[in-house]
Amino acid sequence: MEITLEDVKAAASRIQGIACRTPLKPAYTLSEKSGRNVWLKMENMQPTGAFKLRGAANAILQLSPAQRQAGVLTMSTGNHGKAIAYVAKKQGMRAIICISEQVPEVKIQGMKKLGVEVRVVGKDQDEADIQARAMAQSEGLRFISAFDDAGVIAGQGTVALEVLEQEPAIDTMIIPLSGGGLMAGMGLAAKSLKPELQLIGVSMEQGPAMHLSIQAGHLVEVEEKPSLADALTGGIPPDNQYSFPLCQRFVDRSFLVSEESIAKAMAYALRWERIVLEGGAATSIACLDKHLDEIPGQNIALICTGDNVAVPKLVDLYQQHIEG
Ligand SMILES: *Cc1c(COP(=O)(O)O)cnc(C)c1O
């Protein structure tokens, strides 16, 4: 099955009322610093604190009555799980969220608050993913992947539709990259509407599975390491159908950023842009800062993907990394 611009457009109208149309905020301090026109796409303002709500809503709203009746199961670093939980609750459906032991407590609490079943099923995400799929099969529940699902990808693509509606002059987008659902959907939408637009992926240095897979031309296994960008960690299961080939097609450049530069970007966002960003989201700011010379375009949208970071941790990072 191929995913098209039409699927992304259909998703945009389907998810209205669940996911928000977020602001595209001109970032004047970043613009001044970089000499480019920089905007922030504020997905951190979604009700669940991340863009994952778009994909989750689009996937769940397309289930058959029988599938709705049975419920859904997923595996997630947190933001996708939280989004599935939120939408399932709104729809009065059963949802089981499987997570690995690496997921931070703040995200687990967020999901439990939404009243879903949370199961800790593996020491890392690869292990949790295998166990979650098996569980879904044996319990007759629909498994919704965080990034390799046609409905999820079309939903994430609505971010690019909105950005180009809000500011048609955007010629470069910097997109945090993990399993590649966001990049795949945004690539489909953005490159269909504006083929010359440049898509830049950014990942953390600690185990960047998609970055290394794109470089290698095939899926590469990585060792999962702790990172401030916890939403970007984890591997890509070998049965990948959609997100890897789409990322191969659409990513123009892919960069890595260090833990130090992620921490600085989180502190910078708080100080100068007055926004809370989790590590995974702050990679887009870190990328602009560290790789400016290699980034094309005059009108750049940074996708601020989420804000799910524990406040004491952010305050701590702020105090250690704020400069000027
Ligand atoms: C999931 C996530 C990403 C990466 O999205 P993929 O579709 O897995 O590439 C980036 N930032 C945040 C905050 C996320 O939750």
Side-chain angles (χ1 to χ4, degrees):
M1 195 188 108
E2 226 195 305
I3 315 165
T4 65
L5 176 64
E6 293 316 307
D7 295 316
V8 181
K9 287 183 174 167
S13 61
R14 193 175 289 121
I15 67 178
Q16 270 179 33
I18 297 182
C20 294
R21 187 181 169 88
T22 58
L24 184 70
K25 177 188 161 183
Y28 66 83
T29 54
L30 279 171
S31 299
E32 233 162 65
K33 198 170 165 212
S34 65
R36 316 282 180 93
N37 304 314
V38 180
W39 283 263
L40 304 178
K41 180 60 172 164
M42 307 275 285
E43 289 299 299
N44 52 302
M45 291 176 71
Q46 290 293 353
T48 56
F51 72 91
K52 294 270 189 346
L53 187 55
R54 297 172 183 265
N58 192 46
I60 285 180
L61 294 175
Q62 289 180 85
L63 295 177
S64 70
Q67 286 171 322
R68 278 172 178 263
Q69 189 70 35
V72 292
L73 183 147
T74 193
M75 201 291 294
S76 167
T77 53
N79 284 330
H80 173 67
K82 196 171 166 190
I84 291 283
Y86 181 87
V87 181
K89 189 174 183 200
K90 267 191 176 292
Q91 300 291 308
M93 284 169 48
R94 177 176 184 218
I96 298 169
I97 314 296
C98 296
I99 55 173
S100 82
E101 288 158 16
Q102 313 268 338
V103 175
E105 188 60 25
V106 62
K107 291 188 177 177
I108 300 177
Q109 289 313 324
M111 288 187 274
K112 285 194 172 154
K113 262 194 210 121
L114 291 165
V116 289
E117 222 175 305
V118 179
R119 293 187 193 165
V120 179
V121 297
K123 68 176 185 325
D124 60 24
Q125 293 195 54
D126 294 350
E127 201 181 288
D129 189 77
I130 294 166
Q131 294 192 25
R133 284 166 196 264
M135 237 177 237
Q137 267 240 310
S138 69
E139 296 177 39
L141 303 165
R142 168 71 197 282
F143 180 82
I144 302 181
S145 162
F147 50 80
D148 197 34
D149 178 285
V152 167
I153 289 172
Q156 319 304 32
T158 62
V159 177
L161 281 189
E162 274 175 30
V163 168
L164 287 172
E165 277 166 26
Q166 291 166 313
E167 191 47 74
I170 296 292
D171 48 22
T172 299
M173 295 180 181
I174 302 183
I175 305 175
L177 180 62
S178 177
L182 180 62
M183 177 64 79
M186 289 189 70
L188 269 168
K191 298 262 184 180
S192 312
L193 294 167
K194 193 169 177 177
E196 71 279 16
L197 192 141
Q198 294 291 296
L199 293 180
I200 314 265
V202 55
S203 317
M204 68 283 142
E205 286 170 355
Q206 314 285 92
M210 185 59 87
H211 172 88
L212 294 175
S213 299
I214 292 171
Q215 278 189 342
H218 57 83
L219 289 176
V220 173
E221 271 192 50
V222 296
E223 193 196 330
E224 198 173 319
K225 294 179 193 152
S227 169
L228 280 175
D230 54 89
L232 305 186
T233 61
I236 304 167
D239 62 349
N240 187 283
Q241 272 187 57
Y242 302 106
S243 69
F244 178 55
L246 290 171
C247 285
Q248 279 184 302
R249 209 165 114 199
F250 295 132
V251 174
D252 294 297
R253 308 286 307 260
S254 174
F255 295 109
L256 300 180
V257 289
S258 67
E259 292 301 299
E260 176 71 13
S261 68
I262 296 169
K264 278 198 176 136
M266 291 167 81
Y268 183 92
L270 191 57
R271 165 109 196 229
W272 295 107
E273 299 296 340
R274 308 274 154 176
I275 59 175
V276 171
L277 295 183
E278 60 179 277
T283 57
S284 56
I285 293 178
C287 182
L288 184 74
D289 188 40
K290 293 288 163 196
H291 299 282
L292 184 62
D293 293 346
E294 298 157 275
I295 293 171
Q298 198 51 42
N299 300 312
I300 304 176
L302 307 184
I303 312 306
C304 296
T305 46
D307 74 355
N308 287 307
V309 55
V311 173
K313 183 172 164 184
L314 181 62
V315 169
D316 218 41
L317 281 171
Y318 181 83
Q319 280 164 349
Q320 286 172 34
H321 294 277
I322 198 61
E323 37 183 52

